[in-house]
Structure formats: structure tokens, C-alpha cells
Amino acid sequence: KATFDADGRALTLPDENFARELMQLFTIGLYRLNLDGSPVYDGHGQLIPTYSQTDIEELARVMTGWDLRYNTQYGGLKGSFIHPMESTEAFHDSGEKTVLGQRIVAGLSPEEDLDAALDILFNHSNVAPFISKQLIQRLVTSNPVPAYVRRVASVFEDNGAGVRGDLKAVIRAILTDDEARDISRARENGYGKVEEPLLQHTAWLRAFDVQPIDGWTYCWGKNCDTQNTDNVSDTYLFYLTPKEEALSQSAYRAPHVFNFYDPNFVPQDAYFQDADPQHVLPEFQIKSANNVAGLFEISQVMVSITELNRARYQHGSMRTYTGAHSWGGWDMQVAAVDYGGALRALEIGMEGDSNEDYSSINDTDVGADGLTPRARGVHALVDYLEKLLLGNAVPALPRAALIDYLDGEYRTLDLPVNAAKLTSTAVQYVLLSPQYAELK
């Protein structure tokens, strides 16, 4: 709680960090905006700040008295991080405050003070364009045109029924806007966004129906062969550290409150640097050769261990395989993916059936179309993966190179294993393509 000397000067002051971050990052941003997200300038061509140091100090006073629930020492870190915070009246500054030019009367409880301040922030004119533009950047395109931002921000301000801040209506407006649904617009160079490494990873898992693996053994401590083991069913395990290091990203583990990347990040490239208005590519800030290779490594490790069809072809069943391996055998994660749809596309392209014998995979006879059965199947497989993972076609040159490579691989293996490895390789190389890193 604030204390004062005989002259009324404060001897203790509330921490200002979160008050600043709440305004800068989560509600109104640094500078005044028009409804279309463009900056507002004063009469001298200077940007107009949205808040002052005094606003930070006053908002910090509003938030005094809040602490972790079950904390044994106020301000310490011994409480619960999974329960809502609680207020301690004795540590709350209940004096009058002025935030963004609006008065909050004295004598309010911590909850009432916080509600009043949040109402002031929520009703600020910057909130609609600031939040709407960043939602568009996360969901559709890094560089939305001002008219797109204005249309979405207008829905934020009024959903058509007089309600402000209806996020369901805002998301609908973002995803149904012509800017998001116009195919010709999506095909333009520079349109869209780069997918975050972690979301590339999870999109791949969802595309192939990721499921828990039953029957694997978890071991901790020493003497894994004789004790400290549990048989696990119906449980995913995504081992954090290798995945985080490989992808430069892990869910809910941003290195600081500014997230993994700056929403205004501009790559060192003339296309972005010289644009007017300047183009941004936020997610590209954490893109690197390491996490491109990391995604490939994770997919390679996971598929070689836990792709359902390969396990079935090589070991009889996934349960047979997992029952013979403890945690020490699982390098990255314990979850299964199913490439059955891709394998069916391959076999139907080759033979017109899906009985899983892959009998013509090594035939060298050329048909009327100038292709062997295997080449015909590979074309069908790549078509399937383009639709499933990309939503658009791979350009002709890399597509031809991929098909040529796949047509020559894994010819000495048993036929089902041959097909499973060929298919998983095709998936891995599509995951490496620039088109997979794009979201359009």
C-alpha cells in the first residue's frame, strides 16, 4: 500500500510495468489511430501518443492490491498460477485516479477500480482498429489494406445490434470479408502471411488425424527395466524441450510479454523495406534455417516411429511396437499420425484399387500416358498432398523434381514398406516447401 511522508510525497510506488503493457500491447497501442488502422498526425506531422507517463502511473495505482491466490507472502511467487488472482484490500490504493483523461472516484474496492479502468480502455477509440488489424494479421494477411481494417473495426464498434466488442462478430467479419475470400487476391504475390513454426507443426498433425498411442511405457528415474514404469493409454506426450529447440517456439512459452515476434517486423529485403506503406512480415522474425530443418526432423522422427500404417506393415500393429519400447524410445513425442489417405491416393493412382498390396509399385511398363504405374501413383499422391496441406499447387519445376525423386526411391523394400516410406517422404518434402509456410 502506498505510504507518504509529512509533505504528502509518496514513499512507495506501484510497479508500472503491467500498466504500460496493458495499454501498449493489449488494448490501445502507442499512437492514435484512425478507424482503418492508419496513424493520426498532429499539425506538425508528428504521431500522437495514446497515453502519457501520468496515465501509466495512474493505471498502476488502479491495479494495486492484486496478488496470486494462496500466496503466503504478498508480492511473492508462492501462490497458484492456475487460479484467478485475488485482491488484498490493505494493499490497494483507493484514492481518486485519472486514466486517459477520465476520473475514477475515490473509495472504490480493487475490483471496482479495475472494472472502471478496463471500461475506460475498452471504450477508447483506438481499441477497435488496434485489435482488429492484429486479428487480421494473425488470421488472414500480414498487410491488410486500410479499407479491410476499417470494415472489421466498424463491426468491433457495433456488431449491428449496438454491441461493442463482439469478438464472434469480429472474427466472422474477418473471415468472410472479400479480402479474405477473393481467390484472385490470394494468388497475388505478397498476399497472405507466414505460418508460425509451431502452427506448421500442429497443422501437419491435424491433417493426418493425430491420436494418442496406447500401450507405450513411461519410465522415470533410474532402473527403467525393473521399476518406475507406467503403462499409458489415451494420452498424448509432446516432449517439450527438443520440440521447443527445434521449432524456436513452444505453446504458452513466449520469452517475454512482447510475444515471439514483433507485429511490425520488417524483413531486410527491398520488397518490404521500400514499400509505401511499408510491408511487414511478423512471423518471419523467428523463421530460420534451424527451425525449417527442425520441422523436418520432428516429422522424420515421429513418422519413423509412430505412423500407424508403417508400424502395422513393419511390426504387425502399433500396440505390438509400442509395447516393446519404453519412454527411452520416444525422442520427440508420443502420438500417432495416420497416412492412410495418402497411401490410398498412391495405390488408386497406380492400380485403381486400395487393397494395400501395392503390387505394381515397381513395375517398369509404360502406359499410354507415358508413365509407369509407380509414376502415375506418385502424381496422384502429390495431387492429394497439395490439396490437403497446401490448398494450392506446387509450382511446376519443384513439383517435377519432387515427383522424379519419389519415383526413384525405396525400390528394394518390401512392397507395403516401400509404399509407406515413399508416402512419408513425400509428406516431409511438402512440409519443407515454401508453399507450406504460406497461409493464403
Side-chain angles (χ1 to χ4, degrees):
K1 185 175 178 68
T3 58
F4 303 88
D5 64 15
D7 296 321
R9 291 173 298 197
L11 298 175
T12 59
L13 296 170
D15 190 291
E16 299 171 4
N17 278 346
F18 188 66
R20 180 183 293 105
E21 291 158 356
L22 179 58
M23 292 188 286
Q24 176 184 349
L25 302 177
F26 308 136
T27 54
I28 61 177
L30 289 172
Y31 301 106
R32 292 285 301 276
L33 300 172
N34 294 303
L35 192 61
D36 64 6
S38 61
V40 176
Y41 296 93
D42 64 17
H44 305 287
Q46 300 298 311
L47 294 169
I48 303 174
T50 51
Y51 58 85
S52 66
Q53 177 60 29
T54 299
D55 292 316
I56 295 170
E57 294 169 3
E58 294 290 274
L59 185 56
R61 292 177 58 214
V62 166
M63 295 189 289
T64 53
W66 289 94
D67 192 22
L68 295 176
R69 184 172 294 185
Y70 309 126
N71 203 356
T72 56
Q73 179 182 359
Y74 182 80
L77 296 176
K78 299 295 185 182
S80 171
F81 285 89
I82 63 173
H83 290 85
M85 296 178 73
E86 63 184 3
S87 64
T88 303
E89 189 84 38
F91 291 96
H92 178 62
D93 180 344
S94 59
E96 180 179 301
K97 307 164 187 76
T98 302
V99 176
L100 298 174
Q102 298 191 48
R103 176 173 170 263
I104 300 175
V105 299
L108 299 181
S109 69
E111 291 81 4
E112 291 169 334
D113 251 358
L114 186 58
D115 283 344
L118 291 177
D119 284 344
I120 291 170
L121 290 171
F122 177 66
N123 287 292
H124 191 282
S125 62
N126 256 42
V127 171
F130 184 74
I131 299 297
S132 297
K133 182 174 181 178
Q134 292 205 51
L135 285 173
I136 294 170
Q137 287 182 306
R138 301 289 75 76
L139 297 173
V140 178
T141 180
S142 295
N143 297 282
V145 297
Y148 186 10
V149 177
R150 186 191 310 111
R151 290 191 292 271
V152 174
S154 296
V155 173
F156 187 104
E157 291 194 328
D158 185 343
N159 68 352
V163 176
R164 179 180 177 83
D166 179 352
L167 288 183
K168 183 177 181 179
V170 170
I171 298 302
R172 183 186 295 113
I174 290 171
L175 298 180
T176 60
D177 194 274
D178 288 345
E179 285 286 318
R181 301 180 66 83
D182 186 342
I183 294 176
S184 61
R185 182 87 171 92
R187 288 173 176 163
E188 293 177 8
N189 288 335
Y191 186 82
K193 63 187 291 290
V194 172
E195 195 74 289
E196 299 174 48
L198 179 63
L199 297 184
Q200 288 183 264
H201 174 59
T202 55
W204 159 60
L205 295 178
R206 284 197 305 274
F208 294 104
D209 191 29
V210 63
Q211 297 291 332
I213 294 177
D214 291 342
W216 59 276
T217 303
Y218 178 76
C219 170
W220 67 95
K222 299 179 180 179
N223 304 317
C224 285
D225 294 336
T226 57
Q227 60 186 18
N228 299 338
T229 61
D230 282 324
N231 188 261
V232 181
S233 296
D234 298 321
T235 302
Y236 293 101
L237 178 59
F238 293 95
Y239 189 42
L240 177 67
T241 304
K243 183 158 65 70
E244 186 172 38
E245 292 173 352
L247 298 177
S248 308
Q249 200 179 25
S250 191
Y252 304 115
R253 286 173 61 89
H256 44 63
V257 73
F258 291 91
N259 200 0
F260 294 98
Y261 48 81
D262 181 347
N264 298 308
F265 174 73
V266 180
Q268 297 298 313
D269 181 276
Y271 174 82
F272 296 93
Q273 294 283 333
D274 299 341
D276 185 21
Q278 195 168 64
H279 292 156
V280 300
L281 198 61
E283 295 84 356
F284 201 74
Q285 189 173 14
I286 57 171
K287 269 290 184 184
S288 68
N290 286 340
N291 54 44
V292 171
L295 179 64
F296 182 82
E297 178 190 5
I298 290 172
S299 67
Q300 188 173 41
V301 169
M302 184 171 178
V303 170
S304 66
I305 298 174
T306 62
E307 197 279 305
L308 289 171
N309 299 280
R310 186 186 294 194
R312 183 160 54 88
Y313 295 154
Q314 291 182 302
H315 306 284
S317 71
M318 180 63 76
R319 179 169 286 278
T320 300
Y321 181 57
T322 56
H325 292 76
S326 69
W327 162 245
W330 314 106
D331 185 31
M332 293 284 182
Q333 49 211 354
V334 178
V337 291
D338 183 357
Y339 286 179
L343 281 161
R344 284 190 292 277
L346 172 71
E347 189 172 22
I348 290 171
M350 286 193 301
E351 301 164 0
D353 62 43
S354 56
N355 60 11
E356 296 188 89
D357 65 4
Y358 310 102
S359 58
S360 64
I361 196 168
N362 289 328
D363 287 358
T364 57
D365 294 339
V366 175
D369 57 3
L371 300 174
T372 64
R374 181 190 181 98
R376 199 174 300 117
V378 168
H379 276 274
L381 171 61
V382 173
D383 287 343
Y384 174 86
L385 295 178
E386 284 179 340
K387 293 177 182 177
L388 181 68
L389 296 174
L390 306 181
N392 58 307
V394 174
L397 187 59
R399 177 188 168 95
L402 176 60
I403 289 173
D404 185 60
Y405 173 74
L406 294 172
D407 193 26
E409 285 294 297
Y410 309 120
R411 289 185 174 275
T412 61
L413 302 172
D414 292 340
L415 300 187
V417 177
N418 180 331
K421 288 199 170 186
L422 185 152
T423 299
S424 62
T425 298
V427 174
Q428 287 165 342
Y429 279 98
V430 171
L431 294 183
L432 280 180
S433 69
Q435 289 75 27
Y436 185 66
E438 297 176 343
L439 183 64
K440 285 181 173 281

